[in-house]
Coordinates of all heavy atoms in Angstrom, one line a residue:
P134 N -0.7 8.0 1.6 CA 0.3 8.4 2.6 C -0.1 8.2 4.0 O 0.8 8.2 4.9 CB 0.5 9.9 2.3 CG -0.8 10.3 1.7 CD -1.3 9.2 0.9
D135 N -1.3 8.0 4.3 CA -1.7 8.1 5.7 C -2.1 6.7 6.3 O -2.3 6.6 7.5 CB -2.9 9.0 5.9 CG -4.0 8.8 4.9 OD1 -4.0 7.7 4.3 OD2 -4.9 9.6 4.7
G136 N -2.2 5.7 5.5 CA -2.6 4.4 6.1 C -4.0 4.3 6.6 O -4.4 3.4 7.3
E137 N -4.9 5.2 6.1 CA -6.3 5.1 6.5 C -7.0 3.8 5.9 O -6.6 3.3 4.9 CB -7.0 6.3 5.9 CG -6.7 7.7 6.6 CD -7.1 7.7 8.0 OE1 -8.3 7.3 8.3 OE2 -6.3 8.0 8.9
P138 N -8.0 3.3 6.6 CA -8.7 2.1 6.2 C -9.2 2.3 4.8 O -9.6 3.3 4.3 CB -9.8 2.0 7.2 CG -9.4 2.7 8.4 CD -8.6 3.9 7.9
Y139 N -9.2 1.1 4.1 CA -9.8 1.1 2.7 C -11.3 1.1 2.8 O -11.9 0.3 3.5 CB -9.3 -0.1 1.9 CG -7.8 -0.2 1.8 CD1 -7.0 -1.2 2.3 CD2 -7.1 0.8 1.0 CE1 -5.7 -1.2 2.1 CE2 -5.7 0.8 0.8 CZ -5.0 -0.2 1.4 OH -3.7 -0.3 1.2
H140 N -11.9 2.0 2.0 CA -13.4 2.0 1.9 C -14.0 1.7 0.6 O -15.2 1.5 0.5 CB -13.9 3.4 2.3 CG -13.5 3.8 3.8 ND1 -14.1 3.1 4.8 CD2 -12.7 4.7 4.3 CE1 -13.6 3.6 6.0 NE2 -12.8 4.6 5.6
S141 N -13.1 1.6 -0.5 CA -13.7 1.3 -1.8 C -12.7 0.4 -2.6 O -12.2 0.8 -3.6 CB -13.9 2.6 -2.6 OG -14.5 2.4 -3.8
P142 N -12.5 -0.8 -2.1 CA -11.6 -1.7 -2.8 C -12.2 -2.3 -4.0 O -13.4 -2.4 -4.1 CB -11.3 -2.8 -1.8 CG -12.6 -2.8 -0.9 CD -13.0 -1.4 -0.8
L143 N -11.3 -2.6 -5.0 CA -11.8 -3.2 -6.3 C -11.0 -4.4 -6.5 O -9.8 -4.4 -6.5 CB -11.5 -2.2 -7.4 CG -11.9 -2.7 -8.8 CD1 -13.4 -2.9 -9.0 CD2 -11.3 -1.8 -9.9
I144 N -11.7 -5.5 -6.7 CA -11.1 -6.8 -6.9 C -11.2 -7.2 -8.4 O -12.3 -7.3 -8.9 CB -11.7 -7.9 -6.1 CG1 -12.1 -7.4 -4.7 CG2 -10.8 -9.2 -6.0 CD1 -11.0 -6.9 -3.8
A145 N -10.1 -7.4 -9.1 CA -10.1 -7.9 -10.4 C -10.0 -9.4 -10.5 O -9.1 -10.0 -10.0 CB -8.9 -7.3 -11.2
L146 N -11.1 -10.0 -11.1 CA -11.2 -11.5 -11.1 C -11.2 -12.0 -12.6 O -11.6 -11.2 -13.5 CB -12.4 -11.9 -10.4 CG -12.5 -11.6 -8.9 CD1 -13.8 -12.1 -8.3 CD2 -11.3 -12.2 -8.2
D147 N -10.8 -13.2 -12.7 CA -10.7 -13.9 -14.0 C -11.9 -14.7 -14.3 O -12.2 -15.6 -13.6 CB -9.4 -14.8 -14.1 CG -9.1 -15.3 -15.5 OD1 -10.1 -15.6 -16.2 OD2 -8.0 -15.3 -15.8
L148 N -12.7 -14.2 -15.3 CA -14.0 -14.9 -15.6 C -13.7 -16.3 -16.2 O -14.5 -17.2 -15.9 CB -14.7 -14.0 -16.6 CG -16.1 -14.5 -17.0 CD1 -17.1 -14.5 -15.8 CD2 -16.7 -13.6 -18.1
N149 N -12.7 -16.4 -17.0 CA -12.5 -17.7 -17.7 C -12.0 -18.8 -16.7 O -12.4 -20.0 -16.8 CB -11.5 -17.6 -18.8 CG -12.0 -16.7 -19.9 OD1 -13.2 -16.8 -20.2 ND2 -11.1 -15.9 -20.5
E150 N -11.1 -18.4 -15.8 CA -10.6 -19.4 -14.8 C -11.4 -19.6 -13.6 O -11.1 -20.5 -12.7 CB -9.2 -19.1 -14.5 CG -8.2 -19.1 -15.7 CD -6.8 -19.2 -15.2 OE1 -6.5 -19.2 -14.0 OE2 -5.9 -19.3 -16.1
R151 N -12.5 -18.8 -13.4 CA -13.3 -18.9 -12.3 C -12.5 -18.9 -11.0 O -12.8 -19.6 -10.0 CB -14.2 -20.1 -12.3 CG -15.0 -20.3 -13.6 CD -15.7 -21.6 -13.7 NE -16.8 -21.7 -12.8 CZ -18.0 -21.4 -13.0 NH1 -18.3 -20.8 -14.2 NH2 -18.9 -21.5 -12.1
D152 N -11.5 -18.0 -10.9 CA -10.6 -18.0 -9.8 C -11.0 -16.8 -8.9 O -10.8 -15.7 -9.2 CB -9.2 -17.8 -10.3 CG -8.1 -17.8 -9.2 OD1 -8.5 -18.1 -8.1 OD2 -7.0 -17.5 -9.5
L153 N -11.5 -17.2 -7.7 CA -11.8 -16.2 -6.7 C -10.8 -16.0 -5.6 O -11.0 -15.3 -4.6 CB -13.2 -16.6 -6.0 CG -14.4 -16.6 -6.9 CD1 -15.6 -17.0 -6.1 CD2 -14.6 -15.3 -7.6
H154 N -9.6 -16.6 -5.8 CA -8.6 -16.6 -4.8 C -8.1 -15.2 -4.4 O -7.9 -14.9 -3.2 CB -7.4 -17.4 -5.2 CG -6.3 -17.4 -4.2 ND1 -6.5 -17.9 -2.9 CD2 -5.0 -17.0 -4.2 CE1 -5.4 -17.8 -2.2 NE2 -4.4 -17.2 -3.0
P155 N -8.0 -14.2 -5.4 CA -7.6 -12.9 -5.0 C -8.6 -12.3 -4.0 O -8.2 -11.6 -3.0 CB -7.6 -12.1 -6.3 CG -7.2 -13.1 -7.3 CD -8.0 -14.4 -6.8
F156 N -9.9 -12.5 -4.2 CA -10.9 -12.0 -3.3 C -10.8 -12.6 -1.9 O -10.7 -11.9 -0.9 CB -12.3 -12.2 -3.8 CG -13.4 -11.5 -3.1 CD1 -14.0 -10.4 -3.7 CD2 -13.8 -11.9 -1.8 CE1 -15.0 -9.7 -3.1 CE2 -14.8 -11.2 -1.2 CZ -15.4 -10.1 -1.8
S157 N -10.7 -14.0 -1.9 CA -10.7 -14.7 -0.6 C -9.4 -14.4 0.2 O -9.4 -14.3 1.4 CB -10.8 -16.2 -0.8 OG -9.8 -16.7 -1.7

Side-chain angles (χ1 to χ4, degrees):
D135 50 16
E137 288 295 312
Y139 297 118
H140 295 295
S141 184
L143 178 68
I144 322 297
L146 297 179
D147 191 316
L148 184 63
N149 292 325
E150 294 199 0
R151 305 173 70 89
D152 182 9
L153 297 181
H154 181 59
F156 191 108
S157 58

